[in-house]
Each structure stands twice: as structure tokens, then as C-alpha cells.
């Protein structure tokens, strides 16, 4: 299927590893020009080199923190200057933070909302004027099915993700006149950099492959998802093939969630 992404410019936050890197790699393989940001410069540079080697695509890598507005302004400004436009934004930066309500401090609430909700707000605010100038655009917010069906001891993540889903719907309505389509991908049970760090923190028992296998054994499909599978869905949603899809929350969880 021809997705029509050749020459498009895609911005991916949290693009240095795991799911963000998987999305960036998939879009680069489809011919998009890629701009990725993350906080750690060395890891970001390694990711850019790996994506270039794998896809032959052009990758701009600029350190930025979505909780630090001045760094985001620099990142988006440099991207627009380098490529001349911005067509796609994937708000991917985030981390899992789930615990009991009474054990969650104000500082933890503020930090989570700042990273996940306000990070997406800041990036979207900077990118939308470029999309309006193009006459079209695509925004994908990476969220979690827990934002639709919060469980016990799931805060603050479930609440910040619910806010991200609501932001998606609100933006989709507001940006319709400009042909800017906004959707959210609600993911879980995907192999991630955070999962790999948890394996290392546990003393790296066995191999990473055996760790993923053990975690996937109790999943309905008997395995965890690959970052590239998230990339496949995102590539479709930002393509011309999905030109009539906006304001939608799509689960990619291998059937784990009890909500549609």
C-alpha cells in the first residue's frame, strides 16, 4: 500500500529509543524526513544514526525536553528552518507512573501532567501554525487504554492519559477547518525502553529476549507488541489512506483491554 509519505516532515518527541524510535524508523522507511528529540544527546545521536543506516532517510536529531518550553521552541524552529515545513507531529514523550491515590504526592501529579499532557499541548501549539501554512497536517498523541478505563492504583498516569484523549478530541474539532487531523493511539503491552530499564534494574536476569517472552506469556496473544507495530499504525494514520479519520482513539494492545 502506497502511503504517500515521501517528502513529508515528521516530528517525533521521545524519539531516541523504544516506541518513539520505532515510529520514527517506520516513517523514515516510508520516505518521510524525520526530526526527533529527547533529553539525552548521546542516546539521541545513536538513534538518528541507526535510523539513517536502516532506512537511508534524513534524520534531524536535536536535544529537547517537552517540559522545558525554550528547548522545544529551539527544536521546532530548527526543524522548520532545516526542512522548510512540518507536516506530522507525534507526541510520544512520556513514561509510566502508576500508584495508589493516597500515596501519590502533589509533585508527582504535577510532574506527570507536565510531561504527558502539557508536553503535548506545548508541541502542538508550536507545530499547528506550520500545518496551517501547509493547508493540512496530522497530529498523533500517544496515550494508554487506561485513560478510557482507569484501574486501581493507576494514578497519575490514567488521569493524564485521559486528559490526552480529551485533548485529541478537542483539537480534532477545532482544527477541522484547516484539514489538520488529530488522533490518539492508546498503547500497552509493547516492548519499550522503560521495560528494558526495569529488566536491568532487576539485575538483568536471563536475557532481554527471555524477559520479553516471560512478560508476553500471560498476554492474550502470547507475546508483547513490537515498537515497529506501533509505527505501522501511526504510518497509516498520518497517511492519505486515513484522510477521513480524525478525533479517534485506537487501541494497540493485542486485545488486552476491555474497552474499545
Amino acid at each position: 500500500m502506497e502511503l504517500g509519505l515521501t517528502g513529508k516532515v515528521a516530528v517525533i518527541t521521545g524519539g531516541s529509543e523504544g516506541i518513539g524510535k520505532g515510529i520514527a524508523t517506520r516513517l523514515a522507511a516510508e520516505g518521510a524526513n524525520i526530526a526527533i528529540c529527547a533529553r539525552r544527546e548521546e542516546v539521541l545521536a545513536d538513534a538518528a544514526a541507526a535510523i539513517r543506516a536502516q532506512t537511508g532517510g534524513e534524520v534531524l536529531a536535536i536535544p529537547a525536553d517537552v517540559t522545558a518550553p525554550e528547548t522545544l521552541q529551539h527544536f521546532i524552529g530548527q526543524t522548520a528552518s532545516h526542512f522548510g515545513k512540518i507536516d506530522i507531529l507525534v507526541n510520544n514523550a512520556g513514561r509510566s507512573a502508576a500508584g495508589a491515590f493516597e500515596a501519590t504526592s502533589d509533585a508527582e501529579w504535577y510532574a506527570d501532567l507536565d510531561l504527558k499532557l502539557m508536553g503535548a499541548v506545548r508541541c502542538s501549539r508550536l507545530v499547528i501554525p506550520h500545518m496551517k501554512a501547509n493547508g493540512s497536517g496530522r497530529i498523533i498523541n500517544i496515550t494508554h487504554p487506561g485513560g478510557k478505563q482507569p484501574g486501581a492504583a493507576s494514578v497519575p498516569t490514567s488521569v493524564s492519559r485521559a486528559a490526552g484523549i480529551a485533548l485529541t478530541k478537542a483539537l480534532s474539532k477545532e482544527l477541522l477547518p484547516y484539514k489538520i487531523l488529530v488522533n490518539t493511539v492508546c498503547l500497552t503491552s509493547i516492548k519499550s525502553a522503560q521495560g528494558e530499564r526495569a529488566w536491568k534494574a532487576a539485575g538483568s536476569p536471563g536475557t532481554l529476549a527471555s524477559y520479553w517472552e516471560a512478560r508476553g506469556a500471560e498476554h492474550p496473544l502470547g507475546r508483547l507488541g513490537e515498537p515497529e507495530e506501533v509505527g505501522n499504525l501511526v504510518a497509516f494514520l498520518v497517511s492519505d489512506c486515513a484522510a477521513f479519520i480524525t478525533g479517534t482513539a485506537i487501541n494497540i494492545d493485542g486485545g488486552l483491554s476491555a474497552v474499545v
Side-chain angles (χ1 to χ4, degrees):
M1 180 184 295
E2 174 55 52
L3 296 181
L5 297 181
T6 299
K8 298 289 187 181
V9 176
V11 170
I12 300 101
T13 65
S16 63
E17 55 186 353
I19 293 163
K21 183 182 175 184
I23 293 170
T25 301
R26 184 68 177 86
L27 296 182
E30 287 293 332
N33 296 315
I34 305 299
I36 56 175
C37 75
R39 290 175 298 175
R40 293 173 295 163
E41 186 170 1
E42 184 176 344
V43 177
L44 186 66
D46 289 344
I51 295 168
R52 292 187 197 106
Q54 185 173 338
T55 68
E58 184 170 0
V59 184
L60 182 67
I62 298 176
D65 182 344
V66 299
T67 68
E70 67 280 2
T71 69
L72 277 184
Q73 291 169 3
H74 175 73
F75 170 53
I76 298 301
Q78 289 293 105
T79 298
S81 177
H82 182 80
F83 290 116
K85 62 174 183 171
I86 297 174
D87 302 291
I88 297 161
L89 168 64
V90 181
N91 285 312
N92 170 71
R95 62 174 179 269
S96 177
F101 175 78
E102 291 180 285
T104 304
S105 68
D106 281 8
E108 290 169 319
W109 277 103
Y110 284 125
D112 202 67
L113 288 163
D114 194 28
L115 173 62
K116 296 170 187 168
L117 174 61
M118 292 309 300
V121 167
R122 294 181 187 107
C123 292
S124 299
R125 184 187 291 133
L126 289 169
V127 165
I128 286 168
H130 296 282
M131 293 181 175
K132 286 182 175 180
N134 298 341
S136 65
R138 302 286 191 274
I139 297 174
I140 303 294
N141 296 318
I142 302 299
T143 59
H144 190 281
K148 302 178 184 180
Q149 186 190 41
S154 67
V155 300
T157 282
S158 61
V159 176
S160 59
R161 291 314 195 188
I165 294 169
L167 174 67
T168 298
K169 195 65 171 180
L171 279 180
S172 73
K173 297 291 189 181
E174 188 166 336
L175 297 176
L176 274 172
Y178 307 101
K179 297 183 180 179
I180 300 171
L181 310 184
V182 189
N183 293 290
T184 179
V185 170
C186 307
L187 60 83
T188 189
S189 301
I190 307 294
K191 295 176 184 177
S192 67
Q194 184 164 317
E196 184 174 348
R197 285 192 287 273
W199 169 69
K200 291 178 179 177
S204 304
T207 64
L208 181 58
S210 66
Y211 171 76
W212 293 135
E213 185 177 356
R215 283 192 55 189
E218 297 180 357
H219 193 276
L221 284 181
R223 69 174 180 89
L224 298 181
E226 301 289 343
E228 291 76 14
E229 292 179 295
V230 180
N232 291 339
L233 175 56
V234 171
F236 170 74
L237 287 173
V238 302
S239 76
D240 293 340
C241 297
F244 204 62
I245 301 174
T246 192
T248 298
I250 300 176
N251 294 350
I252 179 166
D253 61 2
L256 182 66
S257 304
V259 289
V260 295

